[in-house]
């Protein structure tokens, strides 16, 4: 997590997250592909790549719009791409994270990721989420704002841990250590799943699940306590996390 952001705002507090979103400078970054009778002087002060006659220019939307207007007929071909509008929360800088993060994961700034965690393709992780050491967030799982996942957990593919920003009084999802959650599970806001519990695929969890319990169904119900058979079927593989 960005240390300056962490020091200034408590991202476990929905009011602090809302304050951050309000105060941060919003961004509409664009990428402009330009070709024509353009010179280096025309692009002075711009971030561009390639030869001035055929280049890519990066910047905020108003800056690029002003540049294109200024170039006029000099810009024979103009193509502009963007993927967000007035975005408040940038994507996390992943270069300093001691974890395995696969392509296509979308992780916003303000997320904490523990050592040797694994984030698989297509996972979406929102601000204020906290992922413990050695936990795996499988493909296309969604962790909403402030969701907490403990150590050595597995959050199955397509599972949703509900986020909590509005209403701010709602409690976040808490997943304790060594929990295994199957694919396509929904865990509603305010639910706590105790250490070592197992949630069967496709369940909708609307109430707390105690430690060591196995829950299944919609809404999920306790079906038994975890036994040796369950342990063998829900083994966490250390080699995937090294």
């Amino acid at each position: 997590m960005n240390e300056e952001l962490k020091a200034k705002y408590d991202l476990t507090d929905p009011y602090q997250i809302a304050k951050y979103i309000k105060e941060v400078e919003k961004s509409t970054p664009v990428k402009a592909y330009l070709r024509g009778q353009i010179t280096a002087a025309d692009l002075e002060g711009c971030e561009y790549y390639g030869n001035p006659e055929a280049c890519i220019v990066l910047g905020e939307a108003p800056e690029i719009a002003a540049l294109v207007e200024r170039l006029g007929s000099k810009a024979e071909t103009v193509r502009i791409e963007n993927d967000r509008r007035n975005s408040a929360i940038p994507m996390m800088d992943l270069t300093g994270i001691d974890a395995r993060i696969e392509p296509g994961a979308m992780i916003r700034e303000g997320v904490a990721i523990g050592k040797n965690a694994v984030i698989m393709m297509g996972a979406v992780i929102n601000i204020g989420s906290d992922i413990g050491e050695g936990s795996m967030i499988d493909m296309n799982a969604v962790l909403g704002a402030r969701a907490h996942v403990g150590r050595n957990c597995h959050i199955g593919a397509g599972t949703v841990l509900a986020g909590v920003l509005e209403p701010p009084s709602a409690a976040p999802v808490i997943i304790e250590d060594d929990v295994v959650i199957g694919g396509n599970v929904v865990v509603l806001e305010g639910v706590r799943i105790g250490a070592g519990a197992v949630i069967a695929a496709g369940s909708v969890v609307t109430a707390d699940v105690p430690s060591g319990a196995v829950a299944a169904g919609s809404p999920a119900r306790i079906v038994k306590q975890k036994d040796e058979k369950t342990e063998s079927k829900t083994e966490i593989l250390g080699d995937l996390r090294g």
Side-chain angles (χ1 to χ4, degrees), residues 79-138:
R79 178 175 176 179
I80 304 225
E81 293 181 353
N82 76 299
D83 63 358
R84 68 202 75 183
R85 172 70 177 168
N86 289 331
S87 179
I89 308 170
M91 294 295 108
M92 174 181 272
D93 177 1
L94 303 178
T95 55
I97 306 299
D98 191 6
R100 177 160 66 88
I101 301 174
E102 296 294 346
M106 298 185 67
I107 306 172
R108 301 188 89 172
E109 182 59 278
V111 171
I113 300 176
K115 183 177 181 180
N116 292 330
V118 178
I119 314 297
M120 294 297 287
M121 299 83 73
V124 177
I125 304 173
N126 206 357
I127 187 170
S129 294
D130 183 358
I131 299 165
E133 182 176 336
S135 284
M136 177 182 287
I137 311 301
D138 215 334

Side-chain angles (χ1 to χ4, degrees), residues 118-124 136-143 153-161 180-186 199-203:
V118 178
I119 314 297
M120 294 297 287
M121 299 83 73
V124 177
M136 177 182 287
I137 311 301
D138 215 334
M139 294 183 294
N140 299 316
V142 176
L143 273 60
C153 295
H154 181 99
I155 308 301
T159 284
V160 175
L161 306 184
V180 174
I181 297 180
N184 297 312
V185 169
V186 176
I199 310 298
S203 299

Side-chain angles (χ1 to χ4, degrees), residues 15-123:
Y15 294 98
Q16 287 286 301
I17 295 175
K19 182 180 179 183
Y20 162 62
I21 292 172
K22 180 180 179 180
E23 293 180 349
V24 73
E25 184 177 352
K26 309 305 185 290
S27 176
T28 306
V30 301
K31 182 187 295 185
Y33 299 83
L34 304 179
R35 186 165 55 215
Q37 303 303 310
I38 304 168
T39 67
D42 293 324
L43 300 176
E44 186 175 357
C46 298
E47 181 184 358
Y48 73 93
Y49 300 89
N51 297 318
E53 299 86 2
C55 62
I56 299 171
V57 186
L58 306 181
E60 288 293 315
E63 299 167 356
I64 298 299
L67 171 64
V68 171
E69 183 176 0
R70 187 168 67 248
L71 290 173
S73 61
K74 283 187 173 184
E76 297 165 2
T77 302
V78 177
R79 178 175 176 179
I80 304 225
E81 293 181 353
N82 76 299
D83 63 358
R84 68 202 75 183
R85 172 70 177 168
N86 289 331
S87 179
I89 308 170
M91 294 295 108
M92 174 181 272
D93 177 1
L94 303 178
T95 55
I97 306 299
D98 191 6
R100 177 160 66 88
I101 301 174
E102 296 294 346
M106 298 185 67
I107 306 172
R108 301 188 89 172
E109 182 59 278
V111 171
I113 300 176
K115 183 177 181 180
N116 292 330
V118 178
I119 314 297
M120 294 297 287
M121 299 83 73

Side-chain angles (χ1 to χ4, degrees), residues 57 150 178 228:
V57 186
D178 303 308
E228 289 185 7

Side-chain angles (χ1 to χ4, degrees), residues 210-231:
S211 298
V214 179
S218 178
R221 299 280 187 262
I222 309 298
V223 294
K224 64 177 184 177
Q225 288 298 114
K226 191 162 65 172
D227 53 22
E228 289 185 7
K229 184 177 180 180
T230 309
E231 290 274 10

